[in-house]
Structure formats: C-alpha cells, structure tokens
Amino acid sequence: MMKTRFLMLAMMMCMTALTFSACSDDDDDDKSINVPEAVTQALKQKYPNVTDVDWKQKSSYFVADCWLDGKDSDIWFDANGNWWMTESEIYWNDVPGAVQTAFNNSEYANWVQDDYYFLLYPLQPMQYVIEVKQGNQKYQLFYSEDGGLMNTVNVTGKDDTIYPPEE
C-alpha cells in the first residue's frame, strides 16, 4: 500500500515537472537587447514619469513597453534616441466623440471592437486606432481626432504591430 502511494506521488511529481518544463516563456522581451544610452536618456527626458519599462526591438527601432500616465504604452525610438511614436492603449470612453460617431456610422459599426489606441507623433497629428474583428477578419481603423477615417489596414493573420510612419 505504501509502495503504491509512493509510486503515485512520484508519477505526479514527474508529470508536474514535465508540464512546467514544457511551458515556454511567452514574454517577448529580449533580455539580450543592448539599448543605446542615447535611447534610454531620450526616454527619461521625453517621459520622466514612465514606469515598468521593458525594452523590445522591432525592426530598427527600440521600443519601451511601459506604463505612461496609467496607460499601457509603447514608445518608439531610433538608435540615435530620436522619438518616432508613442502608442497608448485606451478605453472606448477615452476615444473622442467625433471618432465614436464616425465609427458608429461606418461599415464596421457591427464588428466586434477589440482594442483602442491613440498614437502621438513628432510631426503628424494625433491618431486614434480602433481594432475590429468579424469572424476571422481583423482590421485596424485609423481616425483623425475630428473623426475622419484616415486609413483602414487589414491585419487578418498578420503581425498587427503599428509601426511609426516613415517621414
């Protein structure tokens, strides 16, 4: 009887160990990223109140995945410390009324709303993004602050990262 309990306990521990060893780290932060000093200083200068900064590298950009003013944000810099874009996740209630009205009157009004963002750029006006889904389709709708639909991007089955515009 004792031997059976011991074997059962040993099997359970083995299965638990195998389960945990099979799990991968889903965190996409690359701990080996060497963020240039110019970039870290530029972040501190532009946004001194950011918290919980994790760095990612996307293409040639260094992206600070962080909290900014209570919002989950991605702040994009080039290797020289030039700021290119800030993307912050927001709630529907944070989306300007003109954008909400334009969306509600659009062909996507009946689609499932997935996420909302606002995008800040150094030289371009602020934009709002509404991600929508219907079935297996997923789109990003880019609006100006006054509710004008600026761009519609089909991101179905693709990387839905919003990259800074090339200037």
Side-chain angles (χ1 to χ4, degrees):
M1 182 79 161
M2 185 71 136
K3 195 173 189 178
T4 304
R5 284 186 183 167
F6 179 76
L7 285 174
M8 290 295 287
L9 181 60
M11 284 184 9
M12 287 174 47
M13 289 175 62
C14 185
M15 289 185 346
T16 302
L18 287 173
T19 300
F20 283 119
S21 68
C23 294
S24 67
D25 182 5
D26 289 350
D27 192 2
D28 64 351
D29 292 338
D30 182 353
K31 302 301 182 203
S32 66
I33 290 176
N34 185 15
V35 181
E37 182 67 19
V39 174
T40 58
Q41 289 303 316
L43 175 64
K44 289 177 188 174
Q45 183 176 7
K46 176 126 185 90
Y47 296 114
N49 298 325
V50 298
T51 59
D52 300 326
V53 178
D54 288 317
W55 289 99
K56 300 183 282 190
Q57 190 161 9
K58 299 272 189 175
S59 185
S60 63
Y61 297 99
F62 292 92
V63 183
D65 181 0
C66 57
W67 284 92
L68 174 64
D69 299 329
K71 295 174 178 61
D72 188 9
S73 300
D74 286 341
I75 305 170
W76 296 63
F77 295 92
D78 65 20
N80 296 318
N82 297 308
W83 170 65
W84 282 83
M85 179 178 78
T86 300
E87 172 189 333
S88 294
E89 193 165 352
I90 57 175
Y91 297 103
W92 176 250
N93 291 339
D94 299 322
V95 175
V99 175
Q100 289 183 15
T101 299
F103 173 78
N104 288 333
N105 292 326
S106 77
E107 64 185 282
Y108 300 98
N110 293 325
W111 289 41
V112 175
Q113 299 171 34
D114 194 28
D115 287 310
Y116 314 97
Y117 305 95
F118 72 80
L119 308 175
L120 296 175
Y121 305 105
L123 300 176
Q124 296 183 358
M126 179 186 310
Q127 293 180 21
Y128 288 85
V129 180
I130 301 174
E131 283 188 353
V132 293
K133 293 181 188 177
Q134 184 171 352
N136 65 351
Q137 293 185 310
K138 185 174 183 179
Y139 281 79
Q140 293 173 331
L141 311 173
F142 292 76
Y143 288 92
S144 62
E145 201 168 3
D146 64 3
L149 182 61
M150 302 172 68
N151 196 10
T152 301
V153 179
N154 182 347
V155 292
T156 304
K158 300 176 187 167
D159 176 11
D160 63 355
T161 300
I162 300 169
Y163 282 84
E166 304 216 359
E167 297 187 5

